[in-house]
């Protein structure tokens, strides 16, 4: 289930900073990109539990991206 918390944040600054760090984070970005196709396949199969696990995996990768940027 997804919920809108109503909290709005400015993402431009964060995205610009992430973009400048692409060369150092390429491996993690590739892993994140690869998950998209896997997620689509699981979604088309109706494997919602697998989709949830993939979303969690993507979140873990995104946290690593944040760590790599500091």
């Amino acid at each position: 289930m997804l919920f809108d918390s109503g909290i709005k944040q400015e993402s431009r600054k964060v995205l610009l900073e992430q973009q400048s760090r692409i060369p150092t984070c390429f491996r993690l970005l590739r892993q994140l990109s690869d998950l998209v196709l896997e997620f689509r396949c699981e979604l088309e199969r109706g494997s919602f539990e697998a989709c949830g696990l993939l979303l969690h995996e993507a979140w873990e990768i995104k946290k690593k991206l944040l760590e790599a940027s500091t």
Side-chain angles (χ1 to χ4, degrees), residues 5-23:
S5 67
I7 298 171
K8 306 292 183 212
Q9 296 181 346
E10 179 66 41
S11 61
R12 183 176 41 176
K13 182 180 175 185
V14 172
L15 292 173
L16 287 172
E17 185 175 331
Q18 286 177 345
Q19 186 177 20
S20 72
R21 299 183 189 283
I22 286 175

Side-chain angles (χ1 to χ4, degrees), residues 40-69:
R40 180 180 177 187
C41 288
E42 295 298 342
L43 189 60
E44 288 173 345
R45 287 185 192 142
S47 302
F48 301 116
E49 185 173 337
C51 288
L53 293 172
L54 289 169
L55 287 172
H56 177 73
E57 187 175 345
W59 177 245
E60 293 298 323
I61 292 170
K62 288 179 182 182
K63 290 194 303 188
K64 289 178 185 176
L65 282 169
L66 182 60
E67 292 168 5
S69 68

Side-chain angles (χ1 to χ4, degrees), residues 32-45:
L32 198 55
S33 176
D34 290 344
L35 286 180
V36 173
L37 295 175
E38 194 174 342
F39 183 87
R40 180 180 177 187
C41 288
E42 295 298 342
L43 189 60
E44 288 173 345
R45 287 185 192 142

